[in-house]
Amino acid sequence: MTTNSTDDILLDVRGLDVDVLTPEGPRRVVHSLELTLRRRGTLGIVGESGSGKSMTATAVMGILPETAIASGKVLYRGRDLLSLPARERRAMAGREMGFVFQEPMSALHPTKTIGAQMAAPLRLHLGLTRRQARARSAELLDLVGIPPSRGVLDAYVHQLSGGMRQRVMIAMSISCEPALLIADEPTTALDATIQKQILDLLADLREELGLSVLLISHDLGLVSRYTDDVVVMLDGHAMESGPTDRVVSAPESGYTRGLLEASPRLGHSPDRLPVIDKSRFTKAVQ
Ligand SMILES: Nc1ncnc2c1ncn2[C@@H]1O[C@H](COP(=O)(O)OP(=O)(O)OP(=O)(O)O)[C@@H](O)[C@H]1O
Ligand SMILES: [Mg+2]
């Protein structure tokens, strides 16, 4: 059973708005969003492209683009991150949060070895020596299923497969022992078999390391297998939220029902994808 004591909550987002500055003026891309993630829990954010998933994640991490402004509250262990000075916020995010992106190629340096890239944060944040950082990097790779015999520490990113790159990203994201892991479409660029391996790996690491995980995807079927709770977003609004089992078995929103029907994982063949007329739902929340 879930408990809801304040101590049990790691991340509590209250009334989050995100506005982006455009030549025509500010445009709101996240509206009064509420999210709650328990310690050691898993929360999914699901929605189609442009629904505001990454804006929400980057607002939580404190790495919004310069053209975007967040307001409301992002309570992390009870402290409002939005009210902290930028430097303190970045330090807190660096220590407490790990981030796995969709595209590891753009997050990894093309001309530095994997070992050199893994060692840098370990030396900076944990004060390890060069030798200790190398040993720890080898352990971390082992933890994500890359044994030392693969020689990955001395490899460059272009020499690795997509699945291996994402494993390296995950190893880096957990290297400073974060409490919260945010995975934004971590498997969208991978084929189905590798996708499952990576999500299973995240689930194992969560269990082993006691992490809380925020998993972002456009695929409700996929998220439903890996999360306790879920928020369904459309055009910056939460259309529905609650325990994943309930949302999937008895969706309250017609939009969620459409997403379920559109998910090939939940027994519908991809060549019969229904088209969701989202204009029917957007009006309801304005
Ligand atoms: N740097 C930016 N400057 C201005 N607007 C942006 C910027 N990044 C995203 N947006 C806009 O904010 C809205 C939300 O975008 P966001 O990237 O959060 O969507 P998303 O749900 O992550 O989509 P996807 O599934 O494609 O990753 C979109 O309308 C997008 O056009
Ligand atoms: Mg995104």
Side-chain angles (χ1 to χ4, degrees):
M1 278 311 289
T2 57
T3 56
N4 272 324
S5 82
T6 321
D7 286 351
D8 197 40
I9 305 238
L10 183 71
L11 176 72
D12 202 14
V13 172
R14 296 282 129 223
L16 176 71
D17 293 327
V18 178
D19 296 303
V20 293
L21 304 174
T22 71
E24 295 79 45
R27 183 163 72 89
R28 185 147 294 182
V29 294
V30 176
H31 301 252
S32 311
L33 191 71
E34 313 265 308
L35 301 175
T36 304
L37 175 57
R38 285 173 301 106
R39 278 175 210 271
R40 307 174 79 100
T42 46
L43 174 68
I45 303 181
V46 176
E48 63 192 71
S49 189
S51 56
K53 305 181 297 296
S54 296
M55 281 293 181
T56 302
T58 48
V60 167
M61 301 277 298
I63 53 169
L64 276 173
E66 276 182 9
T67 50
I69 302 162
S71 53
K73 282 188 174 18
V74 176
L75 301 166
Y76 182 83
R77 298 188 194 276
R79 288 177 80 192
D80 183 11
L81 299 186
L82 295 186
S83 68
L84 293 180
R87 186 191 298 184
E88 208 174 316
R89 216 172 151 203
R90 269 197 300 274
M92 165 97 116
R95 239 182 5 249
E96 295 275 340
M97 302 178 191
F99 205 2
V100 181
F101 301 93
Q102 175 176 344
E103 216 351 291
M105 237 357 218
S106 55
L108 293 168
H109 199 285
T111 61
K112 287 185 182 160
T113 63
I114 299 299
Q117 294 181 70
M118 290 188 73
L122 290 169
R123 299 190 67 191
L124 181 72
H125 294 298
L126 303 184
L128 302 190
T129 63
R130 191 182 298 265
R131 184 189 289 250
Q132 287 168 331
R134 186 162 172 101
R136 180 69 187 136
S137 301
E139 278 173 14
L140 285 162
L141 288 180
D142 209 25
L143 195 63
V144 300
I146 307 178
S149 57
R150 300 294 294 265
V152 165
L153 280 182
D154 297 311
Y156 295 92
V157 61
H158 67 86
Q159 297 173 301
L160 307 179
S161 68
M164 290 281 261
R165 281 176 200 151
Q166 203 51 300
R167 283 178 196 269
V168 167
M169 273 293 289
I170 293 170
M172 291 177 82
S173 74
I174 58 171
S175 70
C176 295
E177 298 173 6
L180 171 61
L181 192 65
I182 300 183
D184 189 352
E185 304 267 12
T187 61
T188 307
L190 303 172
D191 70 45
T193 319
I194 310 289
Q195 211 174 54
K196 183 171 183 317
Q197 287 172 8
I198 295 290
L199 291 166
D200 287 345
L201 170 65
L202 285 176
D204 290 346
L205 290 173
R206 185 188 71 80
E207 190 71 30
E208 234 167 281
L209 307 176
L211 297 168
S212 304
V213 175
L214 185 61
L215 176 63
I216 296 175
S217 173
H218 58 272
D219 184 343
L220 179 53
L222 179 149
V223 163
S224 71
R225 296 181 173 199
Y226 292 93
T227 58
D228 309 324
D229 296 286
V230 68
V231 175
V232 177
M233 287 184 75
L234 173 64
D235 290 343
H237 296 268
M239 300 301 285
E240 173 154 18
S241 61
T244 308
D245 287 348
R246 200 279 299 151
V247 170
V248 170
S249 61
E252 284 166 3
S253 153
Y255 182 67
T256 310
R257 278 196 289 280
L259 283 183
L260 282 168
E261 282 163 22
S263 176
R265 245 161 266 274
L266 294 168
H268 296 265
S269 85
D271 57 357
R272 288 191 295 113
L273 286 186
V275 176
I276 306 175
D277 174 12
K278 68 176 187 173
S279 64
R280 278 169 43 214
F281 304 108
T282 10
K283 293 202 184 72
V285 291
Q286 277 168 351

